[in-house]
């Protein structure tokens, strides 16, 4: 017997449970993770369409990165404006960042930086990277000195992604604030244009949040304004430059606010490129946490750590028994090993073959995990090699305010 009304009611309540996505919380009610199409509608951003991808490829005369091809970077705001500026040989710059909450970075933290490095090469443009050590001090139970030290340690991992030193400036908020009066002036301009009511609405701050948090969004907004970097952009700064921000979509609230105030201050609105979230080993539903060593692969993990973590913890979309798996096949949509391969296996044909074989049951979970383990062991080992080369002297070069080179 069925109870259509009850069923309807259940369906309705599940539908009404919205995914939570803001800079501090990412939770989904579904095993498949966040509903990203819904998020685009809720946030009012635009989907990266096949037409837009074709336009990018025509402009840069090569295929886009597989993150864009596979919908890992799936949403944008005003990307067309950046492409038009580029076509007209007008300069623009890239801006991204990282909150240094600990020394340990994991695979998921690399995603925006891998994308940004590709964009820097494809468009040959300068880049600023904000290390929000102040943000982490305000939000976490850590000392200023530690947050600042993590900024420099994390900068090593970021530099190991291969950014061009002549086109990249990395800065700690604590340090840059004292080096550049224009940065602070832009921050205060933005602070004067946003009310407590507005940030309450955008970020959910309450009366009992410390005033540092309430004022912080202006600090993340200001680097999208090129006049915050007079030493970096030098003689290019006759007018504000266009800015493109690659980031995970949970950072969008900061830039919705920025885009909202920009016209009032005669600043251009920054453009955005949004990524989906990198799933925890335990599945798309759970969140990766830097404090749970088993929820992700860290950039410091050994080959053995990687093998054990994937084998023990990677959520499987395979079936209970061998017979059942062979008969019914695995489910790539919830299988974390397969999903990790979509991030890190760039060979489209091989990935598609794996998808077909796993879905048909020909490929077993253990075999799929073995492929992933090899890919990750190589990726992490190469990262560690490059990071070893990054001395504090090299970090200082990237973090010294100096003019960056522009092609136009
Ligand atoms: N708030 C971000 C974090 O906690 C760090 C950040 C600062 C950032 N500026 C950014 C991220 C610009 C993306 C783009 O990780």
């Amino acid at each position: 017997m069925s109870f259509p009304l009850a069923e309807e009611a259940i369906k309705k309540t599940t539908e009404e449970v919205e995914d939570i996505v803001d800079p501090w919380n990412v939770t989904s009610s579904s095993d498949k993770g966040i509903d990203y199409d819904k998020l685009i509608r809720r946030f009012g951003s635009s989907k990266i369409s096949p037409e837009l991808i074709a336009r990018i490829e025509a402009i840069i005369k090569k295929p886009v990165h597989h993150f864009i091809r596979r919908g890992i970077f799936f949403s944008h705001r005003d990307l067309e404006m950046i492409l038009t500026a580029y076509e007209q040989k007008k300069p623009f710059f890239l801006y991204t960042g990282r909150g240094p909450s600990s020394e340990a970075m994991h695979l998921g933290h690399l995603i925006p930086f891998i994308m940004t490095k590709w964009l820097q090469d494809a468009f040959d443009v300068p880049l600023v990277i904000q290390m929000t050590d102040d943000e982490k001090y305000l939000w976490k139970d850590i000392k200023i000195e530690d947050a600042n030290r993590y900024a420099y340690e994390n900068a090593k991992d970021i530099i190991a992604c291969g950014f061009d030193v002549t086109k990249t400036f990395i800065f700690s908020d604590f340090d840059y604030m004292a080096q550049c009066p224009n940065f602070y002036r832009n921050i205060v301009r933005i602070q004067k244009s946003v009310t407590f009511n507005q940030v309450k609405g955008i970020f959910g701050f309450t009366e009992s949040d410390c005033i540092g948090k309430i004022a912080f969004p202006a600090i993340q907004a200001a680097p999208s304004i090129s006049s915050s970097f007079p030493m970096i952009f030098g003689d290019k700064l006759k007018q504000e430059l266009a800015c493109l921000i690659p980031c995970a979509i949970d950072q969008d609230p900061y830039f919705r606010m920025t885009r909202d105030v920009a016209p009032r201050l005669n600043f251009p609105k920054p453009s955005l490129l949004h990524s989906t979230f990198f799933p925890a080993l335990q599945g798309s539903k759970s969140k990766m946490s830097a404090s749970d060593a088993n929820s992700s692969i860290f950039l410091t993990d050994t080959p053995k750590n990687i093998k054990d973590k994937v084998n023990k913890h990677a959520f499987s979309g395979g079936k209970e028994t061998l017979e059942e798996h062979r008969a019914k096949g695995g489910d790539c949509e919830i299988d974390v090993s397969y999903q990790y391969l979509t991030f890190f296996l760039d060979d489209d044909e091989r990935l598609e073959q794996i998808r077909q074989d796993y879905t048909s049951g020909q490929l077993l979970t253990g075999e799929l995990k073995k492929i992933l383990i090899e890919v990750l062991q190589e990726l992490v080992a190469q990262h560690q090699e490059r990071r070893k080369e990054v001395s504090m002297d090299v970090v200082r070069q990237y973090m010294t305010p100096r003019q960056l080179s522009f092609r136009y």
Side-chain angles (χ1 to χ4, degrees), residues 95-99 130 132 135-136 220 245-247 251 255:
Y95 159 42
T96 190
R98 150 130 188 102
Q130 178 180 45
T132 51
E135 175 190 18
K136 293 299 141 177
Q220 182 153 334
I245 308 173
C247 62
Q251 299 297 307
F255 303 116

Side-chain angles (χ1 to χ4, degrees), residues 58-156:
I59 291 174
I60 62 173
K61 299 185 185 69
K62 60 175 185 175
V64 292
H65 191 273
H66 67 264
F67 284 175
I68 299 179
R69 226 161 48 225
R70 294 179 190 162
I72 290 169
F73 276 77
F74 70 108
S75 152
H76 75 98
R77 293 183 191 274
D78 284 341
L79 185 61
E80 294 94 346
M81 272 171 40
I82 295 291
L83 297 176
T84 303
Y86 183 78
E87 280 174 321
Q88 298 171 347
K89 301 205 184 320
K90 287 200 189 125
F92 76 92
F93 72 105
L94 293 162
Y95 159 42
T96 190
R98 150 130 188 102
S101 49
S102 76
E103 251 155 88
M105 283 178 64
H106 56 60
L107 280 181
H109 293 140
L110 287 185
I111 308 304
F113 293 106
I114 295 172
M115 185 77 266
T116 305
K117 150 82 179 146
W118 184 86
L119 290 164
Q120 179 177 62
D121 292 346
F123 291 97
D124 192 15
V125 285
L127 156 70
V128 298
I129 302 177
Q130 178 180 45
M131 307 300 288
T132 51
D133 39 10
D134 51 349
E135 175 190 18
K136 293 299 141 177
Y137 170 69
L138 287 166
W139 262 271
K140 304 232 159 194
D141 186 17
I142 55 176
K143 295 200 184 82
I144 287 190
E145 291 69 21
D146 289 332
N148 186 242
R149 185 165 50 82
Y150 301 151
Y152 284 77
E153 278 307 309
N154 289 182
K156 290 185 186 170

